Amino acid sequence: MNNNGTSLSWSAGWTAAVQRPSEGFHKNWAQDGFADQTVRQIVRVTGSGTSARIKLSHRYGTAPLELAGATIALTDKGAAERAGSVRPLTFGGARSVRVPAGEEIYSDAAEVHVAPFESLTVSLYFARPTGPASFHAQAYATTYRAAGDQLAAADPAVFGETTVSWYHLAAVELADGGPARDDTVVVFGDSLTDGFGSTIDGNRRYSDALAERLADQGTPRPVLNQGIGGEPAAQRFGMVRRPGR
């Protein structure tokens, strides 16, 4: 729903395949999870919209996940958010939410004006111990962590810890008041699709290059990466139509 109480038609602007907690190829926080910590994650969308919502995944959890608060904002640089763009995220109207083990949930809509190839910053505050975190190991994007509730922190220096994985964040969906797109491209595959060898924070996966090429050719559309490093090489990327909701 938007601020006028009317229904929005959502289209995915960014997604990541969710994985079971593991050591992965780089240091990560998945097996230990979080406790009284804020996690700030950055994703680049290939769609556009005036409203955004996130999908939280607790797919591999064995006990309920308690999220004490969350925000979404336009990204400035590193862990910094663009001034004036920070919006609180709610879940059924509440700032906090309890996600049952094995479940995924969506936030409510937040007013965020974002263009294709802009980055969004999603910050999650976990007040209580989470246990192992469902995550995406090879993000090739920096994720930041700080002690305590730093959702309102304007100084990025408080986020002194980093890793290159995404945690509990499975999708960012966008809406602009019009119908949902049905021409979204989804790529599937192993580490080559996931982005192996890409420059950290460079958005240089082949799915990024495909989205940019489609835009350059006058046929822009969201391109979603569902690759997982280590998956069978026989899984090749495919172009699919995603029905609007």
Side-chain angles (χ1 to χ4, degrees):
M1 304 285 282
N2 63 14
N3 291 335
N4 296 322
T6 57
S7 296
L8 294 171
S9 295
W10 295 98
S11 298
W14 169 88
T15 63
V18 179
Q19 297 170 258
R20 191 181 303 277
S22 66
E23 292 185 1
F25 297 101
H26 304 276
K27 68 172 185 177
N28 68 68
W29 307 316
Q31 291 182 313
D32 292 335
F34 309 101
D36 191 25
Q37 293 169 317
T38 302
V39 183
R40 187 164 281 186
Q41 310 182 73
I42 298 163
V43 301
R44 187 177 80 151
V45 300
T46 53
S48 63
T50 56
S51 295
R53 69 178 183 178
I54 67 170
K55 180 167 76 170
L56 288 178
S57 178
H58 193 38
R59 183 178 299 172
Y60 296 106
T62 57
L65 172 71
E66 295 186 22
L67 178 70
T71 61
I72 190 168
L74 297 175
T75 305
D76 187 356
K77 183 178 180 181
E81 299 165 313
R82 196 176 302 176
S85 72
V86 181
R87 303 287 185 267
L89 288 170
T90 58
F91 301 82
R95 294 289 183 97
S96 62
V97 68
R98 192 169 189 261
V99 187
E103 298 294 325
E104 297 178 324
I105 65 164
Y106 287 94
S107 72
D108 301 327
E111 184 181 352
V112 178
H113 292 250
V114 61
F117 309 119
E118 281 194 305
S119 292
L120 292 171
T121 298
V122 176
S123 299
L124 307 174
Y125 172 52
F126 301 100
R128 298 177 180 273
T130 64
S134 301
F135 82 134
H136 184 84
Q138 295 176 270
Y140 300 102
T142 304
T143 288
Y144 303 86
R145 183 169 70 175
D149 181 356
Q150 301 295 344
L151 291 177
D155 181 3
V158 302
F159 290 88
E161 298 180 88
T162 63
T163 185
V164 289
S165 301
W166 288 305
Y167 303 90
H168 292 297
L169 185 61
V172 174
E173 297 196 344
L174 305 171
D176 60 8
R181 299 189 65 125
D182 63 357
D183 57 354
T184 298
V185 177
V186 182
V187 298
F188 300 93
D190 57 12
S191 56
L192 294 179
T193 299
D194 206 6
F196 181 78
S198 296
T199 302
I200 302 297
D201 298 326
N203 295 306
R204 306 263 313 181
R205 311 163 194 85
Y206 84 70
S207 57
D208 297 304
L210 175 59
E212 292 164 4
R213 176 172 292 187
L214 289 169
D216 289 343
Q217 293 178 345
T219 57
R221 64 196 67 188
V223 177
L224 309 176
N225 191 324
Q226 287 288 288
I228 299 178
E231 283 295 287
Q235 287 190 349
R236 296 173 295 175
F237 79 87
M239 184 175 292
V240 304
R241 290 189 175 274
R242 179 181 181 276
R245 296 190 211 174

